[in-house]
Amino acid sequence: MHTPETATATHCPYCALQCGMNLRAEPGGGASVEERADFPVNLGALCGKGRTAPAVLSSRVRLTQPLIRTHAGQLEPATWEEALDAVAEGLARTGRTYGPDAVGVFGGGGLTNEKAYALGKFARVALRTSQIDYNGRFCMSSAAAAHQRAFGLDRGLPFPLEDIPRTGCVILVGSNPAETMPPALRFFRELKENGGTLIVVDPRRTRTAEQADLHLAPRPGTDLALALGLLHLVVAEGRTDEEFIAARTTGWEEARAAAMAHWPELVERITGVPVPRLREAVRMFCEPESAMVLTARGPEQQSKGTDTVSAWINLCLATGRAGRPLSGYGCLTGQGNGQGGREHGQKADQLPGYRKLTDPAARAHVAGVWGVDPATLPGPGRSAYELLDALGSDVKALLLMGSNPVVSAPRAAHIEDRIRSLDFLAVADVVLSETAALADVVLPVTQWAEETGTTTNLEGRVLLRRRALTPPPGVRTDLEVLHGLADRLGVEKGFPTAPEEVFDELRRASAGGPADYSGISYARIEAEQGVFWPCPEDSHAGTPRLFLDRFATDDGRARFVPVSHRDAAEIPDERYPLLLTTGRVVAQYQSGAQTRRVDELNAAAPGPFVELHPRLAARIGAVEGTPLAVVSRRGRAVAPARITDTIRADTVFMPFHWPGEGRANTLTNPALDPVSRMPEFKVCAVRVEPA
């Protein structure tokens, strides 16, 4: 183990940048973060969350012993043997009584590749259940679905971040990296320093939008119309790249016809963005030799998120801004291992290597690695929200790892009721989250600094976190938890506890698949500052840039997808005349289960708020700092008013990091995208009134 005199090169546990850092063990216990300037993504820079990450390692704020709920209803300390016996019996009893699909598994986008892989294998081999999904479904599933149908392959960014400053123009849609991933903002600053331009699409004038050369502020839920309007203008102004379209795409005629139905004046009426600003955006995007579109949760977390992303991809294809150096469409993945977490089997419809669970050849390959009959592998299960919605009815027991849906799920009060209705709930986590507090058994597990494992950042770069600290007594790794449960369920082999052994098996399982890791090893990752997948053999250099020669479709051509604007699932009416959109603040992360335990971060962002325009505030009599009630068809949330002219007058904003009466996801709409099954977090109809 590393001594206080040495530091371990590792990565931040939070967002998908996976910023490099050095972690040094302190002589009296604990650890400190030091700059790691050699890692190309952040060059040593860290946000407040990264700098304070060791605070959550403290035994003062974390779980250090298993807990079992007693007959009196209290969670009380237990031994590991007692806890694992109780979990195994609870899951097995449910399966015997109701069938294997009455047992659910819910994972997280922060789990390492090894843990995500093992969890998917555990569900399908040890439990024989199809009911597994994860909170990454709430992250970039719409972008993933659009990637798949346009390019034949989903990797968040098909190029490294270092390409951004070298392109001519970036359209950043529904992303606020100044608050969600601050070290990434340097790439956009460098873009402008190099003479490029930045267009930001966001209903709020965020810290990122303040850096833009052009800010477009559409009404929430209208990003699809905006993209179609821009494509209409591209066609009308003769700015299409006909040579690229003919040589490298299919389906242009249908997509063009769909776009031409969205003329500029119509788009202005739908979005609220003036026609001259639409024309200026087209000019800025089309005049340079290269350009990019980057989307994030804003356009993706909608009931039409997949079509919205497809419209932005169509804009890139029509202008030849894809499959070429310094050009393309990309998605800024949010969660720490949101990319790798969905590639290796914890998503309801996928097997390791990003293989389809319905593909007989894929089932045969993975079953061969696992040493089981392909016929025993269950088929696809429910998506994340549908799985949570089925708790207590079709799904009677749940094993949950690394997620906090009581805070993070849409229609959260309903999901909390569903969780409470379970016959049995087991949670493995590092802290007693709001969801863990409802469990029958809580299993305390190691954190990022106390275990070895790989993650895959938003670029598709596979990274290695080395164990830097000894975990406290009473804590085990998730791999040890799955090993212990599998053994108790009668599967004595196939669930090793050594991360590198699990990764080597993952490499074999992914071999030949779309996300092929077979040529990646721990040694290579350390020597090369990460390796980009696909990397199909040891001698392969990895693939930092995709699609330069061909797309990953059968014929090598990208697919235009014809799409048309449609309204959000809810639009304002007399009872609910406003739109709510949600997002993050710089000092908190996701459901806040970890960051809300850090004093420095709480001092910077102590609680929820309702952001609204001065005109709206005057109309309802709101005063800065006084409580406001935001009411939707699903519930009511109360938080202090924050009055600012940086938001549209028809829109209110709430961050979603907090539980209790200020829980923003009490309000949000679980209406699902028909392709990605993404809930519509980003837009719902509300009213606002003094509390």
Side-chain angles (χ1 to χ4, degrees):
M1 190 48 54
H2 294 271
T3 67
E5 288 73 37
T6 63
T8 303
T10 187
H11 296 272
C12 177
Y14 292 114
C15 83
L17 286 181
Q18 288 296 280
C19 291
M21 61 169 62
N22 290 321
L23 195 66
R24 185 179 299 276
E26 297 292 341
S32 60
V33 167
E34 297 176 351
E35 180 179 300
R36 181 182 166 192
D38 64 329
F39 187 61
V41 169
N42 63 310
L43 300 178
L46 293 168
C47 72
K49 296 185 291 291
R51 287 188 295 99
T52 61
V56 188
L57 298 168
S58 168
S59 297
R60 181 177 62 86
V61 300
R62 68 182 299 179
L63 295 165
T64 57
Q65 56 186 337
L67 304 172
I68 294 180
R69 194 169 299 279
T70 66
H71 292 297
Q74 302 299 313
L75 286 171
E76 299 290 347
T79 67
W80 267 100
E81 295 306 305
E82 291 169 336
L84 290 174
D85 286 347
V87 175
E89 173 54 25
L91 300 178
R93 181 178 61 249
T94 302
R96 289 194 303 268
T97 305
Y98 301 104
D101 276 356
V103 181
V105 176
F106 199 85
L111 300 181
T112 62
N113 290 319
E114 292 81 358
K115 293 190 288 188
Y117 171 84
L119 187 62
K121 181 181 180 182
F122 176 82
R124 295 177 175 108
V125 173
L127 296 175
R128 301 288 177 89
T129 181
S130 68
Q131 300 303 302
I132 175 172
D133 211 77
Y134 81 127
N135 64 14
R137 178 80 70 167
F138 300 158
C139 179
M140 60 167 292
S141 57
S142 294
H147 263 134
Q148 292 278 11
R149 65 187 191 182
F151 305 136
L153 182 69
D154 159 42
R155 198 179 83 187
L157 290 180
F159 41 75
L161 285 162
E162 67 186 40
D163 284 1
I164 291 174
R166 300 160 56 209
T167 193
C169 177
V170 172
I171 302 180
L172 189 59
V173 188
S175 177
N176 183 16
E179 298 209 48
T180 59
M181 45 181 67
L185 201 61
R186 75 173 178 91
F187 295 104
F188 301 101
R189 285 197 299 266
E190 291 173 11
L191 165 73
K192 297 182 66 177
E193 291 167 1
N194 292 340
T197 55
L198 175 63
I199 301 170
V200 171
V201 179
D202 199 303
R204 304 163 64 220
R205 191 171 73 248
T206 63
R207 296 181 186 179
T208 304
E210 289 174 350
Q211 309 296 315
D213 298 282
L214 178 64
H215 174 213
L216 307 180
R219 186 174 293 111
T222 64
D223 308 85
L224 175 52
L226 179 66
L228 288 164
L230 296 180
L231 182 52
H232 177 112
L233 286 170
V234 164
V235 175
E237 295 177 5
R239 296 181 183 270
T240 55
D241 187 331
E242 297 296 331
E243 182 180 349
F244 177 88
I245 291 170
R248 300 199 59 192
T249 73
T250 62
W252 169 231
E253 294 301 324
E254 295 83 357
R256 179 175 60 185
M260 296 312 288
H262 298 77
W263 61 94
E265 293 75 15
L266 172 64
V267 170
E268 178 178 329
R269 289 200 298 272
I270 294 171
T271 66
V273 178
V275 171
R277 297 181 76 80
L278 299 176
R279 294 188 185 279
E280 178 65 5
V282 167
R283 184 193 65 77
M284 292 169 62
F285 184 68
C286 292
E287 284 187 353
E289 291 185 6
S290 58
M292 299 174 179
V293 172
L294 304 177
T295 68
R297 306 301 79 74
E300 297 162 15
Q301 287 181 325
Q302 298 185 30
S303 59
K304 53 182 181 294
T306 303
D307 283 358
T308 301
V309 174
S310 290
W312 289 106
I313 291 175
N314 288 348
L315 179 67
C316 291
L317 294 176
T319 54
R321 272 50 171 131
R324 286 175 169 169
L326 306 181
S327 289
Y329 163 79
C331 167
L332 297 176
T333 307
Q335 295 190 78
N337 197 32
Q339 180 71 53
R342 70 180 178 280
E343 293 168 0
H344 298 300
Q346 64 171 335
K347 190 165 174 279
D349 55 353
Q350 287 176 191
L351 287 169
Y354 227 138
R355 288 180 159 93
K356 293 181 179 179
L357 191 52
T358 53
D359 179 0
R363 293 170 65 88
H365 173 83
V366 173
V369 174
W370 288 352
V372 300
D373 184 345
T376 65
L377 296 178
R382 293 176 172 89
S383 71
Y385 180 79
E386 292 165 305
L387 173 56
L388 294 172
D389 190 40
L391 299 181
S393 54
D394 294 343
V395 178
K396 306 287 188 179
L398 182 70
L399 172 64
L400 187 147
M401 283 187 159
S403 186
N404 188 19
V406 165
V407 178
S408 64
R411 198 186 175 196
H414 169 73
I415 295 304
E416 181 177 343
D417 288 343
R418 293 292 84 219
I419 290 172
R420 290 180 182 276
S421 72
L422 283 164
D423 291 353
F424 181 79
L425 172 64
V427 174
D429 209 330
V430 300
V431 297
L432 191 67
S433 70
E434 287 73 22
T435 306
L438 304 180
D440 297 286
V441 182
V442 182
L443 305 174
V445 292
T446 52
Q447 298 189 50
W448 58 286
E450 302 160 347
E451 60 187 12
T452 294
T454 61
T455 62
T456 306
N457 81 344
L458 76 173
E459 307 167 293
R461 187 194 304 252
V462 185
L463 305 167
L464 179 65
R465 297 180 191 155
R466 283 287 188 190
R467 177 174 169 175
L469 304 173
T470 302
V475 172
R476 296 187 182 181
T477 70
D478 293 278
L479 294 179
E480 290 170 335
V481 168
L482 294 174
H483 173 87
L485 292 177
D487 185 61
R488 285 165 171 78
L489 293 169
V491 183
E492 298 176 0
K493 296 181 179 180
F495 291 91
T497 60
E500 192 165 7
E501 185 177 349
V502 177
F503 187 75
D504 285 342
E505 183 181 307
L506 180 159
R507 293 169 63 192
R508 297 195 302 275
S510 75
D516 191 332
Y517 282 35
S518 56
I520 304 175
S521 65
Y522 278 19
R524 277 196 67 182
I525 295 171
E526 285 188 303
E528 301 174 27
Q529 295 280 36
V531 180
F532 291 84
W533 71 263
C535 183
E537 54 191 28
D538 293 345
S539 60
H540 193 280
T543 314
R545 296 169 181 85
L546 297 170
F547 313 139
L548 296 182
D549 299 317
R550 69 188 311 274
F551 294 96
T553 55
D554 290 342
D555 61 4
R557 291 171 172 260
R559 309 279 192 253
F560 279 99
V561 178
V563 293
S564 296
H565 173 72
R566 59 185 186 273
D567 286 333
E570 284 185 351
I571 58 175
D573 58 19
E574 289 186 3
R575 289 188 64 202
Y576 304 99
L578 301 169
L579 293 169
L580 169 72
T581 192
T582 63
R584 286 169 48 188
V585 297
V586 67
Q588 300 288 353
Y589 182 71
Q590 303 299 74
S591 76
Q594 296 179 54
T595 51
R596 285 187 278 111
R597 287 166 168 80
V598 179
D599 293 340
E600 181 180 331
L601 300 178
N602 282 332
F609 57 86
V610 181
E611 186 177 281
L612 71 164
H613 192 276
R615 290 204 299 272
L616 174 58
R619 191 163 74 241
I620 65 173
V623 177
E624 179 76 20
T626 59
L628 288 179
V630 184
V631 185
S632 78
R633 290 177 174 84
R634 288 153 296 281
R636 181 176 187 265
V638 177
R642 181 174 293 183
I643 301 172
T644 174
D645 64 0
T646 61
I647 190 169
R648 293 176 55 96
D650 58 3
T651 301
V652 294
F653 167 83
M654 289 187 71
F656 56 73
H657 309 292
W658 288 273
E661 70 171 6
R663 180 174 59 185
N665 277 320
T666 297
L667 308 167
T668 48
N669 191 352
L672 299 180
D673 181 290
V675 180
S676 68
R677 316 308 289 169
M678 166 74 84
E680 192 153 57
F681 286 99
K682 277 295 182 283
V683 54
C684 68
V686 298
R687 67 175 181 268
V688 180
E689 55 202 21

